Amino acid sequence: MQHVAALGMFSRRSGKAAILLIASHLEPGEQVEVLVSGRFRGEDGAAAVTQARVIMANDREWKPDLLSISFTPGLAVQGWQDDKTASLVFQHDGTASTIDQIGEREMAQRMAAVVRSKAAGAG
């Protein structure tokens, strides 16, 4: 995954297990367009956008969380950032899922833009 190389050393290290979990759950031919590493459901995690969905995972010991969010017109994403990190909140299916403490703020901004574009074109 060339997207892993775009992450900083700390993000690669802390997100390693979650990134591997995401990679192992990609469908044949499914390609990652944007990848971020941060905290998902209180554990080190990662989120990826593919042509078909947003997939988020963490490295919770023995039972990692894995979430797949399809692109629908109802999918919304909000982002926040400070001088060090960013957070993304995905609103879907009557719930919200957050990945925070994203070190690469520019990648978080790109992810939000890609998700908004794909959600607007869904349906």
Side-chain angles (χ1 to χ4, degrees):
M1 264 204 228
Q2 82 262 12
H3 300 288
V4 175
L7 298 175
M9 184 180 67
F10 179 75
S11 294
R12 280 195 308 268
R13 189 178 312 137
S14 64
K16 183 177 181 179
I19 293 166
L20 288 170
L21 184 61
I22 288 170
S24 72
H25 282 81
L26 295 177
E27 298 293 328
E30 191 174 16
Q31 297 288 315
V32 171
E33 297 180 19
V34 187
L35 175 72
V36 298
S37 174
R39 304 271 298 170
F40 174 54
R41 295 185 179 163
E43 303 289 338
D44 287 336
V49 174
T50 72
Q51 66 269 34
R53 61 187 169 149
V54 177
I55 185 166
M56 303 168 75
N58 67 17
D59 68 355
R60 184 177 317 283
E61 192 171 17
W62 309 120
K63 191 171 186 333
D65 294 304
L66 183 70
L67 175 66
S68 177
I69 306 168
S70 299
F71 293 118
T72 63
L75 174 61
V77 61
Q78 293 180 302
W80 291 272
Q81 68 179 25
D82 59 24
D83 59 339
K84 294 182 181 167
T85 64
S87 299
L88 294 172
V89 178
F90 299 90
Q91 296 172 329
H92 58 98
D93 304 319
T95 189
S97 300
T98 302
I99 184 162
D100 56 13
Q101 298 180 27
I102 301 166
E104 288 76 22
R105 295 176 302 158
E106 310 79 29
M107 296 304 291
Q109 292 169 358
R110 182 164 176 252
M111 179 174 278
V114 170
V115 169
R116 287 181 187 120
S117 173
K118 290 182 176 295

